[in-house]
Amino acid sequence: MDKLVVNGRKRLVGEVAISGAKNAAVAVIPAAVMAKGVSVLENLPDIEDVKSLCHTIEKMGGKCKYLDKHTLEIDCSADMDYRATFEEVQKMRASYYLLGALLARYGKAEVAMPGGCNFGKRPIDLHLKGFRALGATVVEEDGMVKAYADKLVGTSIYMDQVSVGATINVMLAATMAEGVTTIENAAKEPHVVDTANYLNMMGANIKGAGTDVIRIKGVSELKGAQYTIIPDQIEAGTYMIAAAITGGDVLIKNIIPKHMDSLTAKLDEMQVKVVEGDDSIRIIADTPLKAVNVKTMSYPGFPTDLQPQIAALLAVCNGQSVLTENVWENRYQYIEELRKLGAQVHIDGRIATIDGVPHFNGAAVSATDLRAGAAMILAALAAEGETVIDGVRYIDRGYEDVEFKLQALGADIKRMVI
Ligand code: UD1
């Protein structure tokens, strides 16, 4: 159980390169299973979730070979098992994409119920409703989701709620269905677009990803493809906030600035200087920061996956901020940990009212989930004295080389391997 030890109040200065997007990678890797062929995926982040998916695919009969730290060759030419039942699958929420992928390739899929970060109910009813609309029979039994179809037939599907996972999963299944599927009220997140782009390179016919209507004309087979994963919007946002919270000056490279618009707007409102380049953003924080109100929403709104990190920043701004979590019903468990560092936060349902304090004070805290862990690191960077963070395994699920990237910017952060 590793811990991170941070001595805070060091101004971050320099450059940091952002890794490939976790949430795109965990959708694109299962999509690779749909082709009887070889795909080469580039710019994959070197994180635990990607490794877990590789192990899963290998156990199912596929072959995964790293060509370098960030490039993976996935060979699914041989027939694979349509069941993913093992413990590993349950650890990771995104294993549910194997359902759509296997259903498309084999007309049958059995996948252990997904796990992942726990912030309240995380239903997958919309995924299953979409599969059923395409003609599949779906049952949930013995901790497994089982889906079968003699053939999948395209149809029109209206998503009751905007869901990234359901949009991608139904898109995977519909890619090889007979006829045309339209997904209305689709999620527009960058990783939805990235998955559609990869599927199209494999021979799929998907139009409209990135808008709220996606139109999929089914094809009978897919081939392997070479594809480069987009940069990670959430990792980029975390480093933007790291620069702001330490009064730093950091160039964040290898990003798509457009993906950062909702955060850029908030940082700008807080009086952080944000300078956009073609594929970089420079953050300069040299004045006291103003409190602002933030509401999480689906893309292009402010991402819920940056909510804990922005809360850490708001907690050391001048004045009162109101944070509203609109996506997940229980994503404030980490606030208790932030309070240990001195944050003044009042929670009422989905609303957190934050009264800024001059600075945090170091303490022992836990990462209660992946992004909560990122918030603990950010708070620790701004804290007087030493902070020890445990639960680092959550952080390793989604942040590549986090301590090395921060050390290179001048942070005093070390991993204690226990
Ligand atoms: C993905 C991200 C996660 C992020 C979330 C919202 C991945 C691997 N994970 O999760 O990091 O926090 O998007 O941006 O990409 N819902 C239902 N029924 C469903 C599915 C979802 O009611 O079948 C609800 C959820 O309870 C939630 C909302 O829809 O309130 C959004 O969830 P969704 O977009 O599906 O999140 P995930 O895809 O699981």
Side-chain angles (χ1 to χ4, degrees):
M1 295 285 243
D2 295 1
K3 295 186 182 195
L4 288 171
V5 182
V6 183
N7 274 289
R9 311 263 299 161
K10 308 271 185 299
R11 186 167 180 257
L12 298 192
V13 178
E15 296 184 358
V16 61
I18 296 306
S19 301
K22 165 188 165 288
N23 287 348
V26 298
V28 164
I29 294 172
V33 168
M34 290 162 65
K36 247 181 175 284
V38 182
S39 281
V40 175
L41 303 178
E42 296 167 337
N43 199 36
L44 281 175
D46 183 30
I47 53 173
E48 286 306 315
D49 270 13
V50 165
K51 290 177 198 156
S52 298
L53 261 178
C54 288
H55 291 150
T56 300
I57 286 174
E58 289 194 316
K59 281 192 177 171
M60 293 167 66
K63 290 190 195 129
C64 293
K65 186 169 122 196
Y66 271 97
L67 304 183
D68 62 44
K69 190 178 174 191
H70 299 114
T71 308
L72 180 69
E73 186 183 85
I74 304 184
D75 181 351
C76 296
S77 317
D79 264 341
M80 296 176 56
D81 199 341
Y82 65 94
R83 290 163 302 191
T85 52
F86 13 93
E87 213 178 284
E88 231 151 18
V89 179
Q90 284 159 311
K91 280 194 223 149
M92 213 188 26
R93 179 118 195 112
S95 51
Y96 55 41
Y97 292 134
L98 288 168
L99 278 170
L102 292 167
L103 195 56
R105 178 160 168 179
Y106 294 113
K108 51 190 177 183
E110 295 184 3
V111 177
M113 292 286 244
C117 291
N118 174 22
F119 21 84
K121 268 194 291 175
R122 298 193 70 173
I124 57 164
D125 55 305
L126 297 174
H127 305 225
L128 308 189
K129 198 170 162 188
F131 296 150
R132 289 189 181 108
L134 291 168
T137 301
V138 185
V139 289
E140 291 172 80
E141 57 184 24
D142 311 327
M144 305 277 294
V145 182
K146 302 177 180 176
Y148 313 96
D150 289 337
K151 66 173 180 182
L152 295 171
V153 181
T155 186
S156 179
I157 297 170
Y158 183 89
M159 292 288 173
D160 300 335
Q161 188 168 345
V162 179
S163 159
V164 173
T167 300
I168 292 178
N169 227 345
V170 172
M171 186 167 78
L172 293 174
T175 291
M176 292 168 84
E178 194 178 285
V180 176
T181 301
T182 50
I183 305 176
E184 290 184 63
N185 201 24
K188 298 183 283 227
E189 267 68 2
H191 33 295
V192 175
V193 181
D194 212 36
T195 311
N197 287 344
Y198 169 60
L199 288 168
N200 282 339
M201 301 232 359
M202 296 168 87
N205 185 340
I206 302 172
K207 298 205 167 89
T211 74
D212 33 29
V213 183
I214 301 178
R215 191 168 176 278
I216 304 148
K217 200 166 169 206
V219 295
S220 55
E221 65 172 20
L222 297 175
K223 54 187 188 318
Q226 181 155 355
Y227 191 71
T228 304
I229 306 286
I230 51 166
D232 196 300
Q233 176 204 25
I234 306 302
E235 190 198 17
T238 304
Y239 283 96
M240 287 167 72
I241 297 171
I245 207 167
T246 60
D249 180 349
V250 176
L251 183 69
I252 294 136
K253 299 196 305 187
N254 184 29
I255 63 172
I256 298 175
K258 183 82 198 142
H259 292 168
M260 309 313 305
D261 280 355
S262 59
L263 175 61
T264 296
K266 282 296 148 191
L267 292 178
D268 192 49
E269 208 180 319
M270 296 170 84
Q271 298 192 327
V272 176
K273 291 193 190 78
V274 184
V275 186
E276 281 188 15
D278 288 342
D279 60 357
S280 65
I281 286 183
R282 182 173 169 196
I283 298 291
I284 308 163
D286 52 10
T287 49
L289 302 186
K290 266 178 49 185
V292 296
N293 297 336
V294 177
K295 292 183 183 176
T296 66
M297 271 179 263
S298 56
Y299 190 82
F302 192 93
T304 172
D305 287 354
L306 285 174
Q307 182 258 98
Q309 299 91 315
I310 199 84
L313 180 60
L314 296 175
V316 286
C317 285
N318 279 329
Q320 188 175 76
S321 303
V322 178
L323 184 55
T324 309
E325 172 55 54
N326 286 315
V327 179
W328 297 112
E329 64 176 20
N330 187 12
R331 205 174 187 170
Y332 286 133
Q333 287 126 314
Y334 70 91
I335 290 288
E336 203 40 54
E337 301 302 306
L338 216 49
R339 285 190 183 121
K340 292 181 186 164
L341 298 167
Q344 300 277 327
V345 187
H346 173 76
I347 305 283
D348 184 6
R350 289 178 179 263
I351 295 177
T353 306
I354 303 175
D355 286 297
V357 295
H359 61 80
F360 293 117
N361 289 304
V365 292
S366 285
T368 51
D369 65 52
L370 167 59
R371 306 304 172 185
M376 291 309 127
I377 295 180
L378 294 170
L381 291 172
E384 189 73 54
E386 184 179 276
T387 299
V388 179
I389 304 170
D390 73 10
V392 177
R393 67 184 184 284
Y394 288 116
I395 301 171
D396 290 336
R397 282 190 41 217
Y399 287 90
E400 175 174 337
D401 289 343
V402 65
E403 69 268 34
F404 301 124
K405 288 188 183 187
L406 286 168
Q407 280 163 6
L409 294 171
D412 183 346
I413 177 169
K414 284 191 251 359
R415 182 178 291 253
M416 253 161 55
V417 180
I418 295 171

